[in-house]
Amino acid sequence: MEKQSLSMNAKNPVSTELLQQLLNASDIGWWQLDFGKREMTCSPLAAELFGTDRTRITFDEVCLLPREEHRAQIYTRCAALKVTDTLDETFVTTNGNKCLQIKAVKVRTDPRTNTRTAFGSVRRVTSGTPESAELAAINQNYKAAQRNYSHLAQLIEHLPIGYLRINILRDKTDRAVDYLLSYINQQAGRILGIRTQDFTGKTASETGADPQESLPRFRHIPSGDSREHFWQAPASERICRCLLYNTPGDDDELVILLEDITEARRSEEQLRRAKERAEESNRLKSAFLANMSHEIRTPLNAIVGFSQVIADEEDAETRHELSNIIQSNNELLQRLIEDVLDISKIESNTLTFVLANHEMKALMKDIYSIILLRMPENVELRLDDCQPFTLYTDRSRLTQVLTNLLTNAIKHTKKGYICFGYDVTEQEIRFYVTDTGEGIPDDQLERVFDRFVKLTQWTNGVGLGLAISKALVTKLGGRIEVTSQQGVGSTFSVIFPR
């Protein structure tokens, strides 16, 4: 029978023109969706029914053929043809308000190009047919809902939260294989860091996402129920609170609401850090008072005690030694008070600077003359030869910083030398202080600029000099660095841009 049928067809071929005439006589148009080219071709009659004057239009134009309140459903059902082969929908057109029925006749995937195409028919549902009652009901419902839908669509588009509508796509075996991004409002695009027109109407696979990562979560939400979770958008790195809602009556359609909580999280983090800083500040204040109480009492006890002894001492040599001890503790107490005042000014941001152009070579010689008087035996002070250079800075504060570094080197150098100077490049000037002292352990390098840090408890001072130096250098627009090797020595560098 099959061969006979083929023979009869061969003997009595039906031309394409005749088939088209038969379709036209039946008021049936044909259309074809090409998912590879993302366009639709159709017959002239189909174009007339759809309300367009062209027989080849893009998917974006296809989306506009139904009236606004029907577009989402029709577009979703047509897009589902990427994985399914059934379509039977009725809708009203934008142009002409015609009620049309579209059906898919053949859906196939080209095995060579993997291109998906769908071929189908379109006809008008008119009075006098069995569908006339359905048409009347559709028109009545559409007219009643049209105004409300238009307002709702505008509201959703301009919501201050992100709104996405997705539709789960199933294959012939009713297995969920992908999902379609049916609608994305403006705020969702901003939160996700995407152009909505580049993603709306595409499946997850087409956007480069793996649908199987999200489908299990979507399927486990009962109809009319919702789930909430937190998520970070990969493109914009915005932190979102997501509400996934499974719309009643259609388990394959979900609405996702996105709330950008990045700023809220940032505020929470700032509050948390502020709380930690306040607690740390309170702890440091207590530690500061405890340290100051101890450090001030130490030189004061020496001054008071030896002052009483010296008054009763008759031996001149002993009186001289006691006088030196009192003088040394006076200087220690004076430095301590000056350091405390500097720390207070730095903390209250009331530290003032007197900026002017100063010749650095002359400054180095002045510092050398001051420090040379403090040098212990067995330690040599060296000033490297430096080229003349003028720097716009506060001379007094820069002198204080370099003096602190040299004083610190003297404390930790028992023999060898202490060398200082500066070198100049096209971008910066680097002051340095190098010693052959005991060096700093690697695990202590990050702590040396902290307050009240003394690597050896038997050295003089309270551990404020380097902390003050770093704060002064930072406020002058530079940076301070340290390199050290334990048992070999250390180098402190102060760097300013030219």
Side-chain angles (χ1 to χ4, degrees):
M1 288 295 295
E2 183 178 354
K3 291 183 178 180
Q4 183 180 2
S5 175
L6 291 172
S7 175
M8 288 176 63
N9 288 336
K11 292 179 181 179
N12 301 287
V14 178
S15 67
T16 304
E17 290 79 5
L18 181 56
L19 285 173
Q20 184 64 64
Q21 291 175 10
L22 289 172
L23 287 172
N24 290 343
S26 304
D27 289 330
I28 298 176
W30 62 265
W31 50 265
Q32 179 176 283
L33 297 176
D34 189 324
F35 291 97
K37 297 180 179 179
R38 291 183 60 81
E39 67 178 15
M40 180 185 79
T41 55
C42 62
S43 65
L45 176 60
E48 179 184 348
L49 292 173
F50 287 136
T52 180
D53 57 0
R54 289 179 293 126
T55 58
R56 185 185 297 271
I57 58 177
T58 66
F59 275 13
D60 291 337
E61 295 170 312
V62 170
C63 181
L64 301 177
L65 296 180
R67 276 208 319 228
E68 186 176 7
E69 58 268 31
H70 317 146
R71 287 174 188 167
Q73 179 179 355
I74 299 303
Y75 192 78
T76 300
R77 296 296 183 261
C78 289
L81 291 173
K82 296 176 182 178
V83 295
T84 63
D85 54 9
T86 58
L87 174 69
D88 187 353
E89 294 291 334
T90 304
F91 66 92
V92 178
T93 61
T94 300
N95 296 328
N97 288 328
K98 296 185 288 290
C99 185
L100 305 180
Q101 182 186 36
I102 55 173
K103 284 187 177 182
V105 177
K106 180 68 175 178
V107 183
R108 64 185 296 269
T109 301
D110 191 324
R112 295 171 302 172
T113 63
N114 202 35
T115 301
R116 186 81 166 173
T117 56
F119 181 83
S121 63
V122 55
R123 69 186 184 92
R124 184 171 184 177
V125 181
T126 59
S127 58
T129 66
E131 296 86 356
S132 58
E134 180 186 359
L135 172 62
I138 290 174
N139 280 331
Q140 184 178 2
N141 291 334
Y142 284 164
K143 287 178 182 178
Q146 186 174 14
R147 286 193 301 273
N148 291 336
Y149 184 90
S150 178
H151 292 310
L152 180 61
Q154 289 296 317
L155 175 64
I156 291 175
E157 181 62 22
H158 296 93
L159 279 174
I161 61 174
Y163 178 96
L164 296 90
R165 186 171 60 249
I166 67 170
N167 293 87
I168 297 175
L169 304 179
R170 300 180 180 273
D171 60 13
K172 295 179 180 179
T173 63
D174 200 38
R175 183 174 65 91
V177 294
D178 209 337
Y179 59 89
L180 178 73
L181 300 170
S182 307
Y183 177 77
I184 308 172
N185 75 346
Q186 297 177 16
Q187 181 65 5
R190 283 190 286 267
I191 293 174
L192 299 174
I194 63 173
R195 283 161 41 99
T196 57
Q197 58 268 36
D198 294 340
F199 286 78
T200 302
K202 291 186 178 180
T203 63
S205 301
E206 289 174 328
T207 65
D210 182 4
Q212 297 306 323
E213 291 183 359
S214 301
L215 283 173
R217 182 185 297 117
F218 296 159
R219 292 200 306 268
H220 291 145
I221 303 175
S223 178
D225 202 354
S226 62
R227 294 289 185 273
E228 183 181 61
H229 75 285
F230 295 92
W231 175 72
Q232 185 170 14
S236 64
E237 297 186 351
R238 309 295 291 178
I239 302 173
C240 309
R241 180 164 58 194
C242 305
L243 180 69
L244 282 70
Y245 177 67
N246 191 345
T247 57
D250 188 350
D251 287 342
D252 286 344
E253 182 177 76
L254 293 95
V255 169
I256 301 177
L257 301 180
L258 298 178
E259 181 185 5
D260 187 352
I261 60 170
T262 306
E263 296 303 325
R265 283 289 180 88
R266 185 176 292 122
S267 297
E268 290 176 4
E269 181 64 16
Q270 290 174 347
L271 287 173
R272 184 186 66 80
R273 291 180 179 177
K275 178 176 177 291
E276 291 177 352
R277 285 196 299 268
E279 293 173 347
E280 179 67 8
S281 177
N282 187 58
R283 186 189 67 79
L284 289 175
K285 181 181 70 174
S286 300
F288 177 81
L289 292 174
N291 275 290
M292 285 300 96
S293 175
H294 170 74
E295 297 296 340
I296 289 175
R297 276 201 307 268
T298 301
L300 275 179
N301 288 338
I303 293 170
V304 173
F306 287 109
S307 295
Q308 294 173 349
V309 172
I310 199 172
D312 301 327
E313 181 60 50
E314 296 181 356
D315 183 66
E317 184 177 349
T318 303
R319 287 171 63 89
H320 181 69
E321 290 178 1
L322 294 175
S323 177
N324 288 338
I325 294 173
I326 293 171
Q327 179 61 28
S328 175
N329 280 276
N330 277 332
E331 292 175 358
L332 178 60
L333 185 59
Q334 182 181 1
R335 286 199 305 271
L336 176 60
I337 293 173
E338 289 175 351
D339 286 347
V340 170
L341 291 175
D342 282 340
I343 285 289
S344 176
K345 290 178 181 179
I346 291 170
E347 286 294 326
S348 61
N349 202 28
T350 58
L351 199 63
T352 58
F353 296 93
V354 180
L355 301 176
N357 288 319
H358 298 284
E359 173 54 49
M360 293 296 101
K361 190 168 185 178
L363 177 64
M364 293 295 105
K365 291 181 178 179
D366 291 344
I367 294 175
Y368 177 82
S369 300
I370 296 171
I371 299 299
L372 187 62
L373 300 175
R374 307 179 187 174
M375 294 299 296
E377 298 179 4
N378 304 324
V379 180
E380 177 187 2
L381 180 64
R382 301 176 184 175
L383 172 60
D384 288 342
D385 187 27
C386 303
Q387 67 183 74
F389 183 80
T390 300
L391 181 65
Y392 185 73
T393 187
D394 186 317
R395 178 187 172 94
S396 175
R397 292 302 182 182
L398 180 57
T399 301
Q400 180 181 354
V401 169
L402 295 177
T403 301
N404 280 348
L405 296 180
L406 287 164
T407 302
N408 189 68
I410 292 172
K411 293 178 184 177
H412 298 279
T413 305
K414 302 306 177 185
K415 61 180 179 178
Y417 64 87
I418 296 173
C419 176
F420 73 105
Y422 65 84
D423 48 50
V424 182
T425 66
E426 293 183 359
Q427 293 80 28
E428 59 192 21
I429 177 173
R430 183 182 76 95
F431 298 91
Y432 57 86
V433 175
T434 300
D435 64 63
T436 57
E438 58 198 26
I440 305 170
D442 291 341
D443 60 346
Q444 298 293 326
L445 280 176
E446 295 295 327
R447 298 183 58 242
V448 294
F449 296 108
D450 293 343
R451 298 174 187 176
F452 303 111
V453 171
K454 295 172 64 177
L455 300 183
T456 53
Q457 296 301 318
W458 47 265
T459 55
N460 291 330
V462 294
L464 289 175
L466 290 180
I468 292 173
S469 297
K470 182 177 181 180
L472 292 175
V473 170
T474 301
K475 288 187 175 293
L476 285 170
R479 67 183 190 276
I480 189 168
E481 300 173 350
V482 59
T483 58
S484 183
Q485 184 175 351
Q486 195 166 11
V488 177
S490 307
T491 297
F492 285 82
S493 301
V494 176
I495 304 165
F496 294 103
R498 294 188 58 175

